[in-house]
Amino acid sequence: MLNSTSLTTEARTRLEEYLLKKGLRRSSERFAILEEVYSRDDHFDAEDLYQAMHHRAFAVSRATVYNTLDVLVDCGLVRKNQFGDEDNTKSRFEKALGRQQHAHLICVNCHRVIEFCDPRLQLIKTTVGDTLQFQVESHSLVFYGECADEACVARTKAAANLQ
Amino acid sequence: MLNSTSLTTEARTRLEEYLLKKGLRRSSERFAILEEVYSRDDHFDAEDLYQAMHHRAFAVSRATVYNTLDVLVDCGLVRKNQFGDEDNTKSRFEKALGRQQHAHLICVNCHRVIEFCDPRLQLIKTTVGDTLQFQVESHSLVFYGECADEACVARTKAAANLQ
DNA sequence: TTGATTGCAAACCGTTTGCAACGCC
DNA sequence: GGCGTTGCAAACGGTTTGCAATCAA
């Protein structure tokens, strides 16, 4: 199995090949951002990434963050999600390499994101595509609800009592 | 089975009860907007609704559109979707009464929205909730792909040839 | 009467864009 | 050297908010 280091290496190689193939430049910003993305295991937004780059002492502009995320999504190294939860506008990203496709559970109280897989989703995809003559390319499945995390439950209960 | 007229009647009654229960006012704007929402069968955004109200000669402000949509979503008369397609920012709404829960297919070319149901989604929901101790309240399943509509396929092919 | 609701416009916020400076090829 | 990329700030677009006028209760 791939560990985190070799994953990053693989990602770097893939990005190089992609840039070469597309005639795009291998700027240091792009590789630095890829590095940061592959060092994390969460679902981050563009601003998180922007801040993280500053803490990394590799300050890039927001424009570059957005531009690079587009590139990384386009070459399959990053997945872009729009969770319709508390903040329906901003996108959240996650690294894509070495991870199987999955769906998300989002706690409407603490906004925790939990990943899960279920083979039946693939079956639905196939059925639907065949039945409706639709070439399904990707999907987004999100469940919204309340998680069982103690701190979250306690906080929610306390908030309910205030009303 | 309920026809469109009685659906609207039922919706109006439900809104009245909800407003009463919550101590909110039964303003004419709210009922006029409900009327418009229940006269349509599509997935519309806030601006669509705003424009439609003007054509209806019942001009309301955008603020009222947003406020009323919130109310209608809250009392279960309208469903709010965030399809992460061409326009990842704006929400799209649909009436909720008299329609079973469903998922969406979105054509990445023509942005057509197709609805479908699959009982296996419910099974996944149950499994996931049980396994991860998560109280699932709602879901959003969207498949992205290419639809088989002739005009759409022709247009897409033509666009591809231009490159 | 009075407090919720409306309309208007300004503010908000994530994202995109225009343009000059920069640096990879 | 040429052109893709970057950084900055301004623009954009959907949504929210502040406030005065309005109106349901």
Side-chain angles (χ1 to χ4, degrees), chain B residues 24-25 27 29-30 61 64 67:
Chain B
L24 301 174
R25 292 189 182 160
S27 72
E29 288 82 358
R30 283 173 174 159
S61 70
T64 300
N67 166 23

Side-chain angles (χ1 to χ4, degrees), chain A residues 62-119:
Chain A
R62 288 189 178 79
T64 300
V65 166
Y66 281 103
N67 166 23
T68 303
L69 280 171
D70 276 351
V71 169
L72 296 180
V73 167
D74 199 57
C75 66
L77 287 169
V78 165
R79 260 196 291 268
K80 179 177 185 171
N81 307 290
Q82 339 263 355
F83 301 143
D85 60 332
E86 95 267 39
D87 194 330
N88 54 18
T89 66
K90 72 184 169 195
S91 300
R92 291 207 250 158
F93 304 85
E94 55 184 315
K95 63 185 174 196
L97 220 60
R99 323 181 61 222
Q100 57 182 319
Q101 279 237 65
H102 55 262
H104 296 101
L105 253 72
I106 299 188
C107 177
V108 295
N109 296 319
C110 68
H111 310 299
R112 179 189 314 262
V113 178
I114 304 170
E115 301 180 354
F116 71 91
C117 299
D118 194 304

Side-chain angles (χ1 to χ4, degrees), chain A residues 4-20:
Chain A
S4 167
T5 309
S6 68
L7 248 193
T8 307
T9 308
E10 194 189 335
R12 213 183 296 116
T13 307
R14 178 130 147 209
L15 178 56
E16 289 213 313
E17 287 169 356
Y18 173 86
L19 295 175
L20 219 60

Side-chain angles (χ1 to χ4, degrees), chain B residues 73-126:
Chain B
V73 167
D74 199 57
C75 66
L77 287 169
V78 165
R79 260 195 290 269
K80 179 176 186 173
N81 307 290
Q82 339 263 357
F83 301 143
D85 59 333
E86 94 268 38
D87 195 330
N88 54 19
T89 66
K90 73 184 169 196
S91 300
R92 292 208 249 158
F93 304 85
E94 54 183 316
K95 63 185 173 199
L97 220 61
R99 324 182 60 224
Q100 56 183 319
Q101 278 237 66
H102 54 262
H104 296 100
L105 252 72
I106 299 188
C107 177
V108 295
N109 297 319
C110 68
H111 310 299
R112 179 189 314 265
V113 179
I114 304 170
E115 300 180 353
F116 71 92
C117 298
D118 194 304
R120 286 171 292 193
L121 181 55
Q122 191 55 51
L123 300 177
I124 297 178
K125 193 189 277 193
T126 307

